Amino acid sequence: MTIKDTRTPASTQNASVDSSGSTDGNLEENTGGTPQGEKTAASIGWHKAYVEGSRPDLRVPVRQVHLTNGKSVTLYDTSGPYTDPTVRTDVRRGLAALRENWIVARGDTEEYAGRPVRPEDDGLKHTSPRGGLRNLDAVFPGRPRRPRRGAGGTPVTQLAYARRGEITPEMEFVALRENVSPEVVREEIAAGRAVLPANVNHPEIEPMIIGKRFLVKVNANIGNSAVTSSIEEEVEKMTWATRWGADTVMDLSTGRNIHTTREWVLRNSPVPIGTVPLYQALEKVDGRAEELTWEIYKDTVIEQAEQGVDYMTVHAGVRLPYVPLTANRKTGIVSRGGSIMAAWCLAHHKESFLYENFEELCEILAAYDVTYSLGDGLRPGSIADANDEAQFAELRTLGELNTIAKRFHVQTMIEGPGHVPMHKIKENIDLQQEICDEAPFYTLGPLTTDVAPAYDHITSGIGAAMIAWWGTAMLCYVTPKEHLGLPNRDDVKTGVITYKIAAHAADLAKGHPGAQEWDDALSDARFEFRWEDQFNLALDPDTAREFHDETLPAEPAKTAHFCSMCGPKFCSMKISQSITERFGSAAAEGATAEEVAEGMLQKSKEFAEAGNRVYLPIAD
Amino acid sequence: MTIKDTRTPASTQNASVDSSGSTDGNLEENTGGTPQGEKTAASIGWHKAYVEGSRPDLRVPVRQVHLTNGKSVTLYDTSGPYTDPTVRTDVRRGLAALRENWIVARGDTEEYAGRPVRPEDDGLKHTSPRGGLRNLDAVFPGRPRRPRRGAGGTPVTQLAYARRGEITPEMEFVALRENVSPEVVREEIAAGRAVLPANVNHPEIEPMIIGKRFLVKVNANIGNSAVTSSIEEEVEKMTWATRWGADTVMDLSTGRNIHTTREWVLRNSPVPIGTVPLYQALEKVDGRAEELTWEIYKDTVIEQAEQGVDYMTVHAGVRLPYVPLTANRKTGIVSRGGSIMAAWCLAHHKESFLYENFEELCEILAAYDVTYSLGDGLRPGSIADANDEAQFAELRTLGELNTIAKRFHVQTMIEGPGHVPMHKIKENIDLQQEICDEAPFYTLGPLTTDVAPAYDHITSGIGAAMIAWWGTAMLCYVTPKEHLGLPNRDDVKTGVITYKIAAHAADLAKGHPGAQEWDDALSDARFEFRWEDQFNLALDPDTAREFHDETLPAEPAKTAHFCSMCGPKFCSMKISQSITERFGSAAAEGATAEEVAEGMLQKSKEFAEAGNRVYLPIAD
């Protein structure tokens, strides 16, 4: 494996991001100017590098942390070209279409005119002064393009390729990324135990895989709402979330400019983007659930698939007969999608149009390689409602739908709860794996208690770590603002870091090959007082450095063999180091514990003779 | 059970705290004035109340949250008289000696002159201008007293009483607090499965119990160090930590004024205080581990027992033969106490003086009812070192020591790790329970990964929740500053809240009777849009309110039937409420799922006829 290292610190990369503040003329005027991606200079202590694959256009990004002892540690990287100082990015032009040649080379897709963009796609009235039809170029003029789909109804999904025994460049990419063989990737996808979300209209992504045999992934939700936030903020949140480690991003916008926001997010996103098409469909009928129709929904799915959405949450498991099962719950239906579908079923007294038209939906998704994320619309919203009849009735339906989706070669993952006390978590993953033929489980938390609003990243981080250990493939983050408000930039970062902790703790517990190397490198740095290495290896180098400097700000303290916890005279690490120096060699030479103990008798005598002191006080 | 409610909002209690800024003349001049306890007005949305026991002086404090729907919820309270507006507190006089009559009435203790306080107790030289002997009154003039101990060598421990079949007022107090029968409390203490730390010289405490059959407890560490912080800060940190829910506080001071800081903390603490006497003993020999002696250590233990320390960490399990077992660890010995004892053993090539003199130590602790916290000096300091030979060798020794302590009627708990990946956590609690005859386990975290300095409250909160679910009785908190610096006020709060989440999540998972009522009350409030109730029931009402107000600050939003996440037109809770209204009654009347579904047919028709709308938009 060849690693090419850009060797310019990522912390200086911001200089290369285009920061012209000019407003793009074609951007809606209420977006507040050009989305500019991540601009603040976070002094991240790693360098961008690439692992080169079998072809020149297959370069897998990694973070390389160069340690002060001459060694280096290679970490998974989700931040995209934004942290590569050799790449000039411009949010108005979008990222390079990394996968375009791969997709074209397969020869199974065709470009076509595409659905015209309508005013109501952005939540505007037909009669709006900005009314009238537009094409995709008007929404994102920086990169003229026509949408692409499977030619003649061919499924163009990674699942279809994997089943045919083909290892696509995308599969090779994730194999290098995960440090496994491409054949393992192909097998897991073919078996439906993993998904590789990669819409043919989102060639900008760096492919990634979601499955229990691979590293646990983290999704970050962004999205404006009717109440607050702008396109610019959403694009910034996306780049910000991926910089801290988000593996996918869901755009859950519900207000105006849904279509335009999504286009800007997609064109600038190095990670797969997920959505809930139902949200936009509801906007199109002015928030009246009962006015939703299959036609409006289907049109919205096509609209989003043409834009390049990589996976879609579909609440097709919320069936008419399950709605009354929620009536005596503590918190009813807390999923927005779930409650919309429940309201529709009730209003019409009909079976869900999503359930009824599921096969047609499969055909559409297969034509773009959109991955299903089968939504858990009846997930519990409180500890009291966990693992109840409504929840598991829906899960069984998701199992049926998973089987249908696979018949159409559509990649599928299954969403999971929610609020679940610790002792009821394992049943969720065990049942899901059984009912859904080991399709990847994608859970929100779960939150392990209801009593800590403002800390639900923690109440849920606990449940997330546990359920990931037991086999969940991707975790949907929860921010401190859950239940209270929309997350800002700091909340997004806190949510992502918390969930990276949960994911990595699970990777360790699952014994994922290589996972512990990161911990070991950091612990070595800690034991050897290599403070800078400890910071640079941290999930959040900036905050680690800041916390250290609060008590001991001076530069010499960065190399000092003590810290502010115990002070110079009292350091257990120093005492312990002297023990390692004295006894480590014998044990390293393969001596048994008894032999080491024997050797110790002699050594401790020498130690006493050499001055009988463990260490000299540096200061008084 | 009678609950007496003070009915003045706790948020106004600060007015009753003496806030005279005058410096106490007898306080060391470098403490920066009078410690003043908690002064900032946190608008905590609950009222202090008391559950009255079998005698007038037995009043158990609780938090009573009065809801806007007329109901109220009673929660466990650790904050002491500081949150009772009817009690005037003054940190220079200390808290009232709640237990004094109970202790005296038992007639098995005697007052005596006590050990004189020496300059070196506060880290000063004998030749200091402030040199010379003082008595306790000089250290804390606000409450003249003489120390007390078991008369004629009688063990005066709660364990001794429990074994004799006596239910002490302390036991009745915790029974009311935990909502169990006094006999259960007595049995658990008598069996050694629970401890009730209550030094006869710390009559100010509100008794609490630590054992797996009871609510999971949280300890917060405070303490100045050679590098930073003052007496005043430490007393403030203690009141601050208990306000947010700390059940015990450990004073781990290592710098100057150790004795005086501890005295002020003890006289003002409503919760049991723990220490590590070895830290102070080391100060007395100027940081030279090899100069420690049993005599110096023993004298320090007596000094602290006379002050009223309720439990002491004793690293008697770090035996000479175990030291070399740590030589090839990734991070050696990370416990300060452990490394000091290891250094001593090596320097002298002798067995630990703590291990050798353990029986004499038991006699001392029994005379004051100081509880053992048998330290895990060889706990793993990194994922790589978890569950290794050194760690479990020490644990087996702690099992032996536990048996000895029980022979002397000394209450005992066992400390546990440390850094442990999730899949190795359960082995820790299972082994400890087996080896130590179910003595309460008291663990630090464990941290489930090493890669997130600045977020170790979270890496460890995950492990803490899990190990508590499996039977750990008390969790030692970890703050965001772990590995990096000394926690400030915000860090202490974050650490305590994180650990209260872990503890409560475990209470839920263990099915502790009544634990879920809290979650249910909060979820009801959430579902019914009772925002104020939701805030007031939160573990941290201030932050919950603040986060909500960031996006929707206006007062009407507090009663609005929507929030900023979805906006007014799109609220799943509202949709769901209408479902509950429609179908809840049928299900509530005991109808089966089928009957409810049947009823639904009719209802949904009515629903459609009634206007076919789920809800009216409040705003557009």
Side-chain angles (χ1 to χ4, degrees):
Chain A
M1 180 192 300
T2 317
I3 297 185
K4 198 188 148 210
D5 181 357
T6 64
R7 277 289 174 164
T8 312
S11 54
T12 64
Q13 68 83 25
N14 296 288
S16 72
V17 175
D18 186 285
S19 59
S20 119
S22 68
T23 303
D24 188 290
N26 292 290
L27 199 64
E28 302 301 347
E29 65 282 1
N30 60 348
T31 61
T34 306
Q36 294 175 1
E38 178 40 38
K39 288 288 190 296
T40 51
S43 60
I44 290 172
W46 44 268
H47 305 79
K48 188 87 167 192
Y50 294 91
V51 178
E52 290 179 357
S54 64
R55 40 194 289 176
D57 64 349
L58 207 157
R59 298 164 72 238
V60 178
V62 290
R63 303 188 173 192
Q64 200 131 37
V65 185
H66 296 286
L67 307 180
T68 56
N69 65 1
K71 294 179 186 169
S72 80
V73 178
T74 303
L75 302 174
Y76 195 100
D77 177 46
T78 58
S79 61
Y82 300 103
T83 48
D84 184 343
T86 68
V87 176
R88 186 178 171 84
T89 59
D90 177 349
V91 288
R92 293 166 310 174
R93 297 189 181 282
L95 298 178
L98 187 68
R99 293 168 56 233
E100 189 151 31
N101 291 338
W102 309 346
I103 295 163
V104 172
R106 284 194 278 264
D108 55 0
T109 54
E110 60 187 4
E111 286 191 334
Y112 66 108
R115 173 190 171 284
V117 180
R118 306 196 187 94
E120 61 266 36
D121 297 345
D122 265 335
L124 302 168
K125 307 274 178 211
H126 294 275
T127 53
S128 156
R130 284 156 57 213
L133 306 185
R134 294 178 299 162
N135 60 24
L136 284 176
D137 299 353
V139 177
F140 192 81
R143 181 165 166 260
R145 68 182 189 90
R146 298 171 73 207
R148 182 179 288 283
R149 68 182 168 201
T154 324
V156 294
T157 68
Q158 297 289 325
L159 173 57
Y161 306 141
R163 282 174 168 173
R164 289 206 301 259
E166 287 175 30
I167 290 171
T168 61
E170 286 88 344
M171 295 177 204
E172 185 190 338
F173 192 101
V174 300
L176 286 168
R177 224 171 173 180
E178 300 269 349
N179 222 349
V180 298
S181 81
E183 180 54 22
V184 166
V185 172
R186 191 201 62 77
E187 271 172 20
E188 292 297 301
I189 295 173
R193 287 190 298 264
V195 295
L196 193 164
N199 185 323
V200 295
N201 292 307
H202 193 195
E204 296 90 348
I205 57 162
E206 296 167 341
M208 53 78 71
I209 193 160
I210 302 165
K212 63 182 169 182
R213 192 151 169 188
F214 306 99
L215 290 165
V216 175
K217 302 304 187 296
V218 171
N219 171 68
N221 291 335
I222 59 169
N224 61 352
S225 81
V227 177
T228 178
S229 86
S230 70
I231 294 177
E232 188 181 26
E233 282 175 65
E234 297 317 312
V235 175
E236 275 209 25
K237 275 185 202 162
M238 179 274 294
T239 55
W240 183 242
T242 57
R243 164 162 300 191
W244 293 109
D247 294 284
T248 75
V249 166
M250 288 194 81
D251 178 3
L252 303 183
S253 295
T254 58
R256 294 239 190 279
N257 297 313
I258 293 186
H259 182 98
T260 304
T261 302
R262 186 167 50 235
E263 186 70 23
W264 282 75
V265 167
L266 278 161
R267 298 289 74 81
N268 286 289
S269 174
V271 301
I273 297 295
T275 60
V276 185
L278 195 62
Y279 294 176
Q280 186 180 11
L282 189 72
E283 294 285 331
K284 291 178 182 176
V285 294
D286 225 9
R288 298 185 181 89
E290 66 281 5
E291 291 183 15
L292 281 168
T293 63
W294 163 241
E295 286 66 33
I296 290 169
Y297 182 86
K298 174 176 145 182
D299 178 62
T300 305
V301 167
I302 292 170
E303 171 191 347
Q304 298 195 6
E306 289 181 350
Q307 287 189 287
V309 169
D310 301 288
Y311 65 91
M312 295 182 187
T313 296
V314 177
H315 296 95
V318 181
R319 295 190 53 194
L320 180 67
Y322 305 157
V323 179
L325 298 178
T326 67
N328 274 345
R329 277 182 159 185
K330 183 73 55 190
T331 47
I333 301 175
V334 294
S335 149
R336 284 186 276 179
S339 62
I340 294 163
M341 290 313 300
W344 188 92
C345 292
L346 292 182
H348 296 277
H349 187 236
K350 273 190 186 166
E351 186 53 272
S352 154
F353 62 79
L354 294 176
Y355 182 79
E356 297 276 312
N357 295 283
F358 192 75
E359 298 201 348
E360 191 180 346
L361 193 55
C362 290
E363 284 172 4
I364 297 167
L365 267 52
Y368 300 91
D369 201 3
V370 175
T371 297
Y372 269 124
S373 184
L374 294 178
D376 57 336
L378 302 182
R379 68 170 173 270
S382 56
I383 291 298
D385 295 342
N387 296 18
D388 73 353
E389 204 185 337
Q391 184 193 335
F392 289 149
E394 182 186 32
L395 180 59
R396 283 186 291 272
T397 298
L398 300 186
E400 286 170 37
L401 297 174
N402 174 58
T403 306
I404 298 170
K406 296 290 167 60
R407 229 168 55 218
F408 288 84
H409 306 291
V410 181
Q411 303 190 84
T412 304
M413 52 186 174
I414 311 291
E415 294 185 10
H419 292 237
V420 186
M422 282 191 287
H423 64 299
K424 293 188 177 176
I425 290 177
K426 195 158 187 302
E427 186 181 8
N428 277 276
I429 171 80
D430 290 348
L431 259 185
Q432 182 274 337
Q433 288 288 292
E434 183 194 323
I435 292 172
C436 302
D437 296 332
E438 301 181 80
F441 204 25
Y442 167 30
T443 63
L444 178 81
L447 287 73
T448 54
T449 167
D450 305 338
V451 303
Y455 297 84
D456 279 327
H457 58 305
I458 298 177
T459 65
S460 68
I462 293 167
M466 292 170 71
I467 203 163
W469 168 28
W470 292 324
T472 287
M474 184 156 78
L475 302 168
C476 182
Y477 88 167
V478 172
T479 77
K481 289 281 168 60
E482 183 77 12
H483 298 119
L484 298 168
L486 278 180
N488 61 24
R489 191 182 161 82
D490 285 344
D491 299 319
V492 167
K493 177 177 167 183
T494 302
V496 172
I497 298 273
T498 302
Y499 271 68
K500 292 300 277 190
I501 289 170
H504 183 68
D507 290 336
L508 285 176
K510 286 163 72 176
H512 192 279
Q516 199 183 310
E517 281 170 32
W518 187 6
D519 299 73
D520 289 352
L522 198 141
S523 289
D524 281 339
R526 184 171 278 156
F527 192 60
E528 291 165 13
F529 296 101
R530 287 185 275 112
W531 288 99
E532 282 299 331
D533 291 346
Q534 193 183 149
F535 302 148
N536 291 338
L537 284 163
L539 253 180
D540 178 0
D542 300 353
T543 308
R545 190 174 279 110
E546 183 192 317
F547 281 2
H548 175 270
D549 290 0
E550 249 178 54
T551 343
L552 281 181
E555 205 45 45
K558 299 276 172 39
T559 50
H561 280 203
F562 66 92
C563 68
S564 60
M565 273 89 75
C566 311
K569 287 205 302 180
F570 212 78
C571 178
S572 63
M573 288 287 201
K574 269 175 69 179
I575 295 177
S576 196
Q577 281 190 356
S578 70
I579 295 169
T580 301
E581 282 159 24
R582 278 172 187 79
F583 304 110
S585 54
E589 285 156 12
T592 65
E594 289 71 28
E595 287 164 350
V596 173
E598 189 63 31
M600 186 190 66
L601 304 188
Q602 182 50 34
K603 293 270 185 176
S604 70
K605 258 174 105 176
E606 291 168 24
F607 178 47
E609 284 157 10
N612 209 16
R613 287 290 294 279
V614 178
Y615 55 94
L616 289 170
I618 292 170
D620 195 31
Chain B
M1 181 192 303
T2 317
I3 297 185
K4 200 190 145 206
D5 182 355
T6 63
R7 277 287 175 168
T8 312
S11 54
T12 64
Q13 68 82 24
N14 297 286
S16 70
V17 175
D18 185 286
S19 59
S20 119
S22 68
T23 303
D24 187 290
N26 293 291
L27 199 65
E28 300 302 343
E29 65 282 2
N30 60 348
T31 62
T34 307
Q36 293 176 3
E38 179 38 41
K39 288 287 188 296
T40 52
S43 59
I44 290 171
W46 44 267
H47 305 78
K48 188 87 169 192
Y50 295 90
V51 179
E52 290 179 357
S54 65
R55 42 194 288 177
D57 63 349
L58 208 157
R59 299 164 72 235
V60 177
V62 291
R63 304 188 174 193
Q64 201 131 36
V65 185
H66 297 286
L67 307 179
T68 56
N69 65 1
K71 294 180 185 168
S72 80
V73 178
T74 302
L75 302 175
Y76 195 100
D77 177 45
T78 58
S79 61
Y82 299 104
T83 48
D84 183 342
T86 68
V87 176
R88 185 178 173 84
T89 59
D90 177 349
V91 288
R92 293 166 309 175
R93 298 191 181 281
L95 299 178
L98 188 66
R99 294 167 56 233
E100 190 151 28
N101 291 339
W102 308 347
I103 295 164
V104 172
R106 283 194 278 265
D108 55 359
T109 53
E110 61 186 5
E111 286 190 334
Y112 66 108
R115 173 191 170 283
V117 179
R118 306 197 187 94
E120 60 266 35
D121 297 346
D122 265 338
L124 301 168
K125 306 277 179 210
H126 294 271
T127 53
S128 157
R130 285 155 57 212
L133 306 183
R134 294 178 299 163
N135 60 24
L136 284 176
D137 298 353
V139 177
F140 192 80
R143 180 165 168 259
R145 68 180 189 93
R146 297 170 75 208
R148 184 179 288 282
R149 68 182 169 202
T154 325
V156 294
T157 68
Q158 297 288 325
L159 173 57
Y161 306 141
R163 282 175 169 171
R164 290 206 301 257
E166 288 173 30
I167 290 172
T168 61
E170 286 87 344
M171 295 176 202
E172 186 190 339
F173 193 102
V174 301
L176 286 168
R177 224 172 174 181
E178 301 269 349
N179 222 347
V180 297
S181 82
E183 180 54 21
V184 165
V185 172
R186 192 202 60 76
E187 270 172 21
E188 292 297 301
I189 295 173
R193 287 189 298 264
V195 296
L196 193 164
N199 186 324
V200 293
N201 291 308
H202 194 195
E204 296 90 347
I205 59 163
E206 296 168 341
M208 52 79 69
I209 194 161
I210 302 166
K212 63 183 172 184
R213 190 150 171 189
F214 305 99
L215 290 164
V216 175
K217 302 304 186 298
V218 171
N219 170 69
N221 291 335
I222 59 168
N224 61 354
S225 82
V227 177
T228 180
S229 86
S230 71
I231 295 177
E232 189 180 25
E233 281 176 67
E234 297 317 311
V235 174
E236 275 209 27
K237 275 185 202 162
M238 179 275 293
T239 55
W240 183 242
T242 57
R243 165 162 299 195
W244 294 108
D247 294 283
T248 75
V249 166
M250 288 193 81
D251 178 4
L252 303 183
S253 295
T254 58
R256 295 239 190 281
N257 297 313
I258 293 186
H259 182 97
T260 304
T261 302
R262 186 167 51 236
E263 187 69 25
W264 282 74
V265 167
L266 278 160
R267 299 290 71 82
N268 285 289
S269 174
V271 302
I273 297 295
T275 60
V276 185
L278 195 61
Y279 293 178
Q280 186 179 13
L282 188 72
E283 295 284 332
K284 292 179 181 175
V285 294
D286 224 9
R288 297 185 181 90
E290 67 282 4
E291 291 183 15
L292 282 168
T293 62
W294 164 240
E295 286 67 35
I296 290 169
Y297 183 85
K298 176 177 144 182
D299 177 64
T300 306
V301 166
I302 292 169
E303 170 191 347
Q304 299 195 4
E306 289 182 351
Q307 287 188 286
V309 169
D310 301 287
Y311 65 91
M312 295 182 187
T313 296
V314 178
H315 296 96
V318 181
R319 296 190 52 195
L320 180 67
Y322 305 156
V323 178
L325 298 179
T326 67
N328 274 346
R329 278 180 157 185
K330 183 73 56 190
T331 47
I333 301 175
V334 294
S335 149
R336 284 187 277 178
S339 63
I340 294 163
M341 289 313 299
W344 188 93
C345 292
L346 291 183
H348 296 278
H349 187 234
K350 272 189 185 163
E351 186 53 274
S352 155
F353 63 81
L354 294 175
Y355 183 78
E356 297 277 312
N357 295 283
F358 192 74
E359 298 202 348
E360 191 179 346
L361 194 55
C362 290
E363 284 174 3
I364 298 167
L365 267 52
Y368 300 90
D369 200 3
V370 175
T371 297
Y372 269 124
S373 185
L374 293 178
D376 56 337
L378 303 182
R379 69 170 173 267
S382 57
I383 291 298
D385 295 341
N387 296 18
D388 72 354
E389 203 184 338
Q391 185 193 333
F392 289 149
E394 181 187 32
L395 181 58
R396 283 186 292 272
T397 298
L398 299 186
E400 286 170 37
L401 298 174
N402 174 58
T403 306
I404 297 170
K406 296 291 166 58
R407 232 169 50 219
F408 288 83
H409 306 291
V410 180
Q411 303 191 82
T412 303
M413 52 187 176
I414 312 290
E415 295 186 9
H419 292 237
V420 185
M422 283 191 286
H423 64 300
K424 293 188 175 176
I425 291 177
K426 196 158 186 302
E427 186 180 8
N428 277 276
I429 172 80
D430 290 347
L431 259 184
Q432 182 274 337
Q433 288 288 292
E434 183 193 324
I435 291 173
C436 303
D437 296 331
E438 300 182 80
F441 204 25
Y442 167 30
T443 63
L444 177 80
L447 287 73
T448 54
T449 167
D450 304 337
V451 303
Y455 297 83
D456 279 327
H457 58 306
I458 299 177
T459 65
S460 68
I462 293 167
M466 293 170 71
I467 203 163
W469 167 28
W470 291 324
T472 287
M474 184 157 77
L475 302 169
C476 181
Y477 87 168
V478 171
T479 78
K481 288 282 167 61
E482 183 76 12
H483 299 120
L484 298 168
L486 279 179
N488 61 24
R489 194 183 159 82
D490 286 345
D491 299 319
V492 167
K493 177 177 168 184
T494 303
V496 172
I497 298 272
T498 303
Y499 271 69
K500 293 300 276 189
I501 289 170
H504 183 69
D507 290 336
L508 286 176
K510 286 162 71 176
H512 192 278
Q516 199 183 310
E517 282 169 31
W518 188 7
D519 299 74
D520 289 353
L522 197 142
S523 289
D524 281 339
R526 186 171 277 156
F527 192 61
E528 291 165 14
F529 296 99
R530 288 184 274 113
W531 287 100
E532 282 298 331
D533 291 346
Q534 193 183 149
F535 303 147
N536 291 338
L537 283 163
L539 253 180
D540 177 0
D542 299 352
T543 308
R545 189 174 279 110
E546 183 192 316
F547 281 3
H548 175 268
D549 290 1
E550 247 178 56
T551 345
L552 282 180
E555 205 47 44
K558 299 276 171 39
T559 50
H561 279 202
F562 65 94
C563 67
S564 59
M565 272 89 74
C566 312
K569 288 206 300 181
F570 211 78
C571 179
S572 62
M573 288 286 201
K574 271 176 65 180
I575 295 177
S576 195
Q577 279 189 357
S578 69
I579 294 169
T580 301
E581 282 159 22
R582 279 171 186 81
F583 303 109
S585 54
E589 284 155 14
T592 65
E594 290 70 29
E595 288 164 351
V596 174
E598 189 64 30
M600 186 189 67
L601 304 187
Q602 182 51 34
K603 292 272 185 173
S604 71
K605 258 174 110 177
E606 292 168 25
F607 178 47
E609 285 157 9
N612 208 15
R613 288 289 293 277
V614 178
Y615 56 93
L616 289 168
I618 292 171
D620 195 30

